[in-house]
């Protein structure tokens, strides 16, 4: 977890590891389904994260990236050779205030 200058939570990173790809793949897919509901479709996606895909070899990876107003999320699954890892990263993005125009 990362906290900002005002002691507010600004990011969370979670890492899960398993010897078998099935639970990692299932969690990756569930996280992405939840994120689609919250933020809409991913802005960037590489791979599906299926068990078959992850078993294709060392460092085989799938990921999805989401952006929605003041929210960013990244999910990534990786074949590490001796196991499978899911990384989930969630960040609050700063709100950008509209610039005031000078009065005439």
């Amino acid at each position: 977890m990362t906290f900002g200058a005002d002691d507010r939570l600004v990011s969370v990173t979670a890492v899960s590891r398993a010897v078998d790809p099935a639970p990692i793949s299932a969690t990756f897919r569930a996280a992405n389904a939840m994120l689609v509901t919250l933020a809409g479709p991913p802005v960037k996606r590489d791979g599906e994260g299926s068990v078959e895909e992850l078993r294709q070899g060392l460092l085989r990876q799938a990921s999805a990236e989401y952006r929605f107003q003041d929210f960013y999320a990244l999910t990534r699954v990786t074949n590490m050779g001796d196991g499978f890892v899911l990384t989930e990263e969630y960040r609050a993005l700063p709100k950008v205030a509209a610039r005031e125009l000078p009065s005439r």
Side-chain angles (χ1 to χ4, degrees):
M1 289 188 244
T2 304
F3 293 86
D6 58 358
D7 292 330
R8 289 186 184 202
L9 181 64
V10 293
S11 72
V12 174
T13 301
V15 178
S16 305
R17 185 176 175 91
V19 174
D20 183 70
I24 293 297
S25 175
T27 305
F28 175 76
R29 290 176 172 208
N32 285 312
M34 176 197 65
L35 287 164
V36 165
T37 300
L38 293 173
V43 295
K44 183 177 179 187
R45 185 170 187 118
D46 183 27
E48 296 299 317
S50 68
V51 171
E52 297 77 20
E53 180 182 27
L54 291 172
R55 284 190 172 144
Q56 289 178 4
L58 178 65
L59 300 180
R60 184 64 181 189
Q61 198 171 68
S63 63
E65 184 177 322
Y66 300 84
R67 291 178 189 267
F68 181 75
Q69 294 174 348
D70 61 351
F71 174 76
Y72 168 85
L74 172 70
T75 57
R76 180 183 300 120
V77 288
T78 307
N79 177 336
M80 301 300 291
D82 62 350
F84 301 85
V85 173
L86 168 64
T87 304
E88 298 174 76
E89 183 179 329
Y90 302 95
R91 285 189 237 158
L93 299 175
K95 292 181 181 179
V96 178
R99 197 171 81 177
E100 290 185 28
L101 299 174
S103 58
R104 295 182 183 199

